[in-house]
Amino acid sequence: MKVRIGMALAVVAVLVLGAIALTGCGGASSGTTSGSTGATSGQESGTINISGSDTMVNMAQAWAEAYATVNSNAAITVKGGGSGNGIAALLNKTVDFADSSREIKPEEITQGKANAVNPVTTEVARDGVVVIVNSGNALAGITKDQLGKVYRGEITNWKDLGGASAPIVLLGRDSSSGTYAFIQDVVIGKGLNYAKSMRSLQSNQAIVDEVAKNPNGIGYVGLGYESKSIKPLPVGGVTASVSTVLDGTYPLSRGLNMISNGDPTGLAAAYLQWILGPDGQKIVKDQGFVPLSK
Amino acid sequence: MTDRVMTRNRVRRARAVEAIAKFVMGACLLFAAGMTVAIIGIIIYRGAPSISWAFLSQMPKHQMTAGGIWPAIWGTLMLTLGTALFAVPVGIGAGIYLSEYARRGAGTRLVRLSIANMAGVPSIVYGLFGFSLFVVALKFGTSLISGALTLACLTLPVIIGATEEALRQVPQDLRQASLALGATKLRTTLRVVLPAAAPGIVTGSILGLSRAAGETAPIIFTAVAFFAPLPKTPLDPVMALPYHLYIMATQAVKPAPTVVWGTAFVLVAGVTTAGVLAAAWRSRQRSRIRW
Amino acid sequence: MTQPSPKTARRGRPGFSRAADGVVKRLIAACGWLAIIILGAIFVFLLVNSVRAMREIGLAKMISGTDWFPTSEPARFGFLPSEVGSLWVTGVSLLLAVPIGIAASVYLSEFAKGRFKEIAKSIVEFMAAVPSVVLGLLGVAYVAPVIQQTFHVESGLTALTAGIVVGIMSMPTIISISEDALHSVPSALRQGSLALGNTSWQTTYKVTIPAASSGIFAAVMLGLGRAIGETMVVLMLAGNAGIIPSSPLEAARTMTGTIAQEMGEVVRGGTHFSVLFAMGLVLFAITFAINLAADVVLERQRKMWRR
């Protein structure tokens, strides 16, 4: 069976044409496959790329899914990876918004200036970082000071916290996580480091799963990741909840932000407004986080 | 003891040793093969129940806990197509050039050896390269085209290697006969040698492309998003099956296990079907060709 | 006979066809050069982007540094935790894959026959087609819990877990290349040995395996290169702690895993960005050298036994 060069070239040509055609087709049908009902014309169209905080990623996806029913001309893409990744992407000019569960750092602002990026932060929700342990753990609570010692590696056994003697299995995120940076700032202390024995897990959910399985585990996750499989520890006597975060009594409260390059315009501005509006904030509540107090 | 008895004992012992050795080695082979069977079996067992037309053709709903994986399938198809568009022509051309035209010397040999060894460089290094060149420097951003170009660089050495190997297998007699009949070298190469090497080239390319389709590391920072609608232009990010699987296995909030295993099933089924078909076609072609 | 002489026939060929030939030839050469340029560019890119890190921190200090804290106030960029982690994972994987792989390849080559041999070979090579992320998923679902329960460790995400799965992944490479090496030993050698009174097994371990030894060695090296370069499995299974692990039952981070995890958080032009490229350069150098050595050995063996 001789493969003729001409036939081979014809096949390649067909593939090329097919690719061009299909990409166009894919674009045309994407509006209908997202199940949109109230498709309104005259709305802004375009693509918004968002990446960053893993704490916020599910909420970001929920926002994107819901917004598609409001404006079917908009394509919102969402990616996790950690607040650090999102901010880096923003500074590399590859995304429109960076989701961040921490404040932007001065070095990042400087790097942004070097790349002609002017970061503007908008708080879109609030969150409390919850300290979680296995549901079988008898510990009733922990102080911020003790938490710092645990995460710096100075306390390594549960008996030093008043429990039975067992080694503490320290779980946390990796350095791209905003939650990692927030805990480092607020609990461990500026300039000091996490214990080297801490296991870096990829995500909030991974920490929940591991703590649920491991009787000696301790970890930190966003408020929206609480679940029946693990037990939250009150910090300094205050339990994390929507009300204690709103009134500021929970010591590990923080803002969840979307950072853009300059003030957002066009579709990005419309999207941000929608998130700050009642529909967006309802999703915040549904996700288990804390909506902005009106 | 007589010589005969001693020899008989030695032979008996040697035979016993042989039996044991065969048993141990056979067990090792069984382990290796058994692992493969187990892997495929588990994926089919846990993934097949999720497969339905709805699963394959719908968008994900409720944060990956329901709905389908259509955009990931589409994204992987587009990425692979893009990779093929860039890597196959350049790869085959380069393979022909290096095998038939380049001067035979130490320099050429070094180049060919280097290219073959690029195939062994970890895929994350290609990802690093693609990220800094296509995403940031050329400002394509996280997009279909960045990912396709990165995967194309990854696949290029594989296709070049397959082309060279296939061309090498074509006997010199064929080339010389064609030249003796008056054809130019170019005609010989394109009309005689290349068609004879075509099965090997096509199979190698398909195997290389199916490997590219299953790669995760190079596309994490060059092409994919966790959630994205279908790409409208090559500059849009895409979803892709391997990345989708990675995220759901490590990060997403409690995705339904059916979605996770279903995605694994689709990915493995797609990648291995292509490879198996290609390999089967190649052995059929090989048995037909008689030099 | 009015056939034109070759001279006149050639003169009669249309010039367009000859011009087209020239264009095609130049296209083919262009492809060749393009491929060389692209693959060379990868190395150059790695080098150029690492320069900043090498100047600010120094290659030796990075390779031997014991702390990896890229986001701390005085950022520390020591590769040692990642290097040792890579070594542990690779070591475990080779410990698993090399004996089993070589034994399996010997059986395939010397004792298996006909259809059974073909089927077994196909099944083993099939595994090479399975994407690594799928193997990572299987590891998370099945291997990690087993490790956790068997060894009573706190978590199943350890260097051992990752090493086992990477070992299973490397087996097809080792098996098929070893089998090739054994296959290329001329049967005359085997027959000679049998004629002198050896059993099949004695022939194998006294004659065939030593004859193919360089090829088998190359197979192991290629398996090693594959194991060091594996990214997804280690990302999902190795645990990624910052310590220098002293046993395979601890969580480890590997060079590939570190690059994959942190690539997203680097801003172009920064020090962290450059350090990751330096790590990539080290990885590139190691795997390239291993593959090159293996290739040279294989080429030499092929020449040795060519009829």
Side-chain angles (χ1 to χ4, degrees):
Chain A
M1 189 169 89
K2 281 204 196 129
V3 174
R4 294 184 177 279
I5 303 298
M7 196 158 77
L9 280 174
V11 170
V12 172
V14 166
L15 281 175
V16 173
L17 289 171
I20 299 174
L22 287 172
T23 315
C25 262
S29 60
S30 72
T32 48
T33 45
S34 55
S36 57
T37 45
T40 41
S41 57
Q43 296 234 2
E44 304 273 358
S45 70
T47 309
I48 299 182
N49 294 320
I50 304 178
S51 87
S53 168
D54 177 77
T55 305
M56 293 169 68
V57 74
N58 287 292
M59 189 162 60
Q61 194 195 341
W63 279 329
E65 277 181 30
Y67 193 69
T69 62
V70 167
N71 179 355
S72 58
N73 293 328
I76 319 253
T77 74
V78 173
K79 195 166 164 200
S83 307
N85 283 21
I87 293 178
L90 186 72
L91 298 178
N92 282 332
K93 295 199 191 144
T94 57
V95 294
D96 300 290
F97 282 109
D99 284 341
S100 175
S101 62
R102 61 166 169 83
E103 299 296 323
I104 191 168
K105 297 183 193 164
E107 315 88 83
E108 289 166 338
I109 300 182
T110 318
Q111 272 179 321
K113 287 209 172 65
N115 286 356
V117 171
N118 171 28
V120 167
T121 306
T122 312
E123 193 178 88
V124 292
R126 291 194 64 79
D127 180 29
V129 176
V130 186
V131 179
I132 57 171
V133 293
N134 188 274
S135 5
N137 194 315
L139 204 60
I142 197 170
T143 68
K144 203 164 118 181
D145 193 55
Q146 284 172 319
L147 196 60
K149 292 208 174 96
V150 169
Y151 269 96
R152 282 194 298 270
E154 293 158 21
I155 296 182
T156 54
N157 196 302
W158 284 108
K159 70 175 190 310
D160 296 321
L161 291 170
S165 174
I168 297 182
V169 177
L170 207 54
L171 301 165
R173 300 281 303 286
D174 62 64
S175 56
S176 66
S177 156
T179 316
Y180 173 101
F182 173 75
I183 293 288
Q184 188 169 16
D185 254 359
V186 169
V187 172
I188 292 185
K190 272 197 161 60
L192 299 173
N193 291 317
Y194 277 92
K196 281 194 195 179
S197 59
M198 182 182 83
R199 280 186 164 76
S200 283
L201 298 185
Q202 310 273 24
S203 64
N204 284 287
Q205 186 58 41
I207 295 184
V208 169
D209 291 338
E210 193 60 33
V211 169
K213 275 190 291 189
N214 196 319
N216 298 323
I218 184 171
Y220 52 75
V221 295
L223 195 57
Y225 285 86
E226 274 192 320
S227 95
K228 289 193 215 55
S229 59
I230 40 93
K231 172 175 147 180
L233 280 185
V235 177
V238 183
T239 312
S241 74
V242 173
S243 42
T244 57
V245 170
L246 269 178
D247 65 27
T249 54
Y250 185 65
L252 301 179
S253 308
R254 59 177 178 171
L256 298 178
N257 310 307
M258 284 172 72
I259 309 180
S260 50
N261 181 4
D263 285 315
T265 57
L267 179 58
Y271 188 52
L272 194 57
Q273 281 312 306
W274 178 86
I275 289 178
L276 293 171
D279 293 327
Q281 293 295 303
K282 176 171 180 306
I283 290 182
V284 173
K285 213 156 139 248
D286 291 337
Q287 289 285 315
F289 291 102
V290 180
L292 298 171
S293 46
K294 282 288 174 261
Chain B
M1 271 212 264
T2 63
D3 267 346
R4 212 204 269 159
V5 173
M6 276 167 62
T7 309
R8 193 174 52 203
N9 284 339
R10 246 210 311 265
V11 168
R12 245 189 237 142
R13 212 172 339 144
R15 290 227 181 97
V17 167
E18 169 161 337
I20 296 176
K22 272 167 99 165
F23 177 73
V24 167
M25 292 189 300
C28 288
L29 180 63
L30 224 58
F31 178 77
M35 279 286 110
T36 310
V37 171
I39 289 172
I40 306 292
I42 294 177
I43 292 177
I44 295 181
Y45 172 65
R46 296 196 67 170
S50 322
I51 305 303
S52 64
W53 181 245
F55 183 71
L56 294 173
S57 62
Q58 284 180 0
M59 303 282 289
K61 298 197 183 88
H62 303 308
Q63 294 122 64
M64 315 294 177
T65 54
I69 54 171
W70 169 240
I73 298 180
W74 181 252
T76 295
L77 279 174
M78 285 289 105
L79 277 171
T80 311
L81 197 61
T83 307
L85 277 173
F86 293 116
V88 170
V90 175
I92 296 184
I96 295 177
Y97 176 72
L98 287 169
S99 175
E100 306 286 311
Y101 283 97
R103 253 178 308 139
R104 305 214 175 285
T108 309
R109 228 192 119 228
L110 188 64
V111 167
R112 288 170 58 205
L113 216 57
S114 307
I115 291 184
N117 289 309
M118 291 301 290
V121 171
S123 53
I124 190 68
V125 175
Y126 285 99
L128 204 54
F129 170 69
F131 173 68
S132 59
L133 177 62
F134 303 120
V135 176
V136 181
L138 292 181
K139 299 207 201 315
F140 290 149
T142 307
S143 61
L144 178 58
I145 194 155
S146 298
L149 286 170
T150 308
L151 287 174
C153 291
L154 181 76
T155 318
L156 204 56
V158 177
I159 296 186
I160 296 179
T163 306
E164 280 194 279
E165 179 71 27
L167 288 170
R168 188 164 52 156
Q169 305 245 342
V170 175
Q172 279 297 90
D173 310 352
L174 222 63
R175 292 183 182 85
Q176 284 161 359
S178 170
L179 290 170
L181 287 170
T184 62
K185 181 157 184 193
L186 184 65
R187 299 251 154 166
T188 307
T189 308
L190 289 183
R191 290 264 178 164
V192 175
V193 181
L194 199 55
I201 296 178
V202 169
T203 310
S205 305
I206 293 183
L207 287 173
L209 287 172
S210 55
R211 177 188 155 190
E215 285 284 346
T216 319
I219 56 173
I220 296 183
F221 296 103
T222 55
V224 285
F226 173 53
F227 173 75
L230 297 177
K232 292 200 185 87
T233 73
L235 287 172
D236 290 332
V238 293
M239 289 170 75
L241 287 169
Y243 181 71
H244 204 63
L245 187 58
Y246 168 62
I247 292 293
M248 287 196 297
T250 59
Q251 298 190 29
V253 172
K254 283 296 162 234
T258 51
V259 177
V260 178
W261 290 101
T263 309
F265 181 86
V266 171
L267 181 59
V268 172
V271 164
T272 55
T273 305
V276 164
L277 283 178
W281 185 62
R282 176 177 57 182
S283 41
R284 207 171 131 244
Q285 290 305 102
R286 273 227 193 107
S287 61
R288 280 168 160 218
I289 293 176
R290 260 171 256 296
W291 293 129
Chain C
M1 240 184 24
T2 48
Q3 270 179 1
S5 70
K7 230 193 204 165
T8 49
R10 220 176 292 131
R11 234 185 288 141
R13 267 176 74 209
F16 171 75
S17 160
R18 224 175 316 177
D21 274 7
V23 169
V24 174
K25 241 195 261 191
R26 229 157 275 160
L27 260 168
I28 292 181
C31 285
W33 284 109
L34 187 61
I36 296 173
I37 290 174
I38 289 176
L39 297 171
I42 295 177
F43 173 70
V44 168
F45 230 80
L46 283 175
L47 196 61
V48 165
N49 280 305
S50 324
V51 162
R52 179 174 168 159
M54 300 217 254
R55 229 182 299 150
E56 276 182 27
I57 307 172
L59 190 63
K61 216 154 150 225
M62 280 192 287
I63 294 185
S64 59
T66 55
D67 294 333
W68 178 262
F69 289 118
T71 50
S72 305
E73 284 321 290
R76 313 280 292 278
F77 294 114
F79 290 2
L80 215 49
S82 305
E83 288 164 353
V84 174
S86 285
L87 273 171
W88 271 117
V89 171
T90 309
V92 170
S93 73
L94 285 182
L95 211 63
L96 180 70
V98 168
I100 297 183
I102 296 183
S105 69
V106 169
Y107 189 86
L108 260 182
S109 167
E110 306 297 308
F111 298 105
K113 306 210 192 337
R115 284 202 78 194
F116 171 72
K117 178 173 174 177
E118 288 305 312
I119 294 178
K121 262 187 93 169
S122 306
I123 293 182
V124 169
E125 286 176 4
F126 200 76
M127 172 152 35
V130 178
S132 52
V133 62
V134 173
L135 287 161
L137 173 69
L138 287 166
V140 168
Y142 292 101
V143 182
V146 168
I147 298 284
Q148 181 174 16
Q149 277 157 12
T150 322
F151 294 97
H152 302 293
V153 269
E154 309 134 350
S155 159
L157 301 178
T158 63
L160 180 65
T161 320
I164 290 179
V165 178
V166 174
I168 295 179
M169 278 181 75
S170 312
M171 271 195 255
T173 311
I174 296 183
I175 292 180
S176 58
I177 299 184
S178 297
E179 201 264 332
D180 273 350
L182 289 162
H183 184 66
S184 64
V185 173
S187 42
L189 256 91
R190 291 188 191 86
Q191 283 159 7
S193 165
L194 289 169
L196 288 169
N198 282 319
T199 64
S200 276
W201 169 239
Q202 284 171 331
T203 305
T204 305
Y205 80 81
K206 284 188 196 174
V207 176
T208 318
I209 293 184
S213 58
S214 52
I216 296 181
F217 176 71
V220 172
M221 294 206 78
L222 286 171
L224 170 70
R226 174 118 198 237
I228 291 187
E230 180 47 48
T231 311
M232 296 319 295
V233 171
V234 298
L235 248 188
M236 294 164 88
L237 291 176
N240 297 315
I243 47 172
I244 301 180
S246 49
S247 94
L249 282 173
E250 291 173 21
R253 52 167 50 212
T254 59
M255 293 197 281
T256 49
T258 303
I259 296 179
Q261 245 180 341
E262 311 205 350
M263 197 155 66
E265 70 183 68
V266 289
V267 181
R268 176 179 175 215
T271 311
H272 194 179
F273 180 81
S274 187
V275 169
L276 283 187
F277 270 89
M279 199 182 262
L281 192 63
V282 172
L283 253 183
F284 177 91
I286 294 177
T287 50
F288 195 81
I290 291 178
N291 275 296
L292 197 62
D295 254 8
V296 165
V297 168
L298 271 176
E299 190 66 34
R300 218 170 358 130
Q301 198 218 222
R302 251 181 246 145
K303 282 210 185 93
M304 191 162 52
W305 295 125
R306 202 176 292 164
R307 246 164 264 152

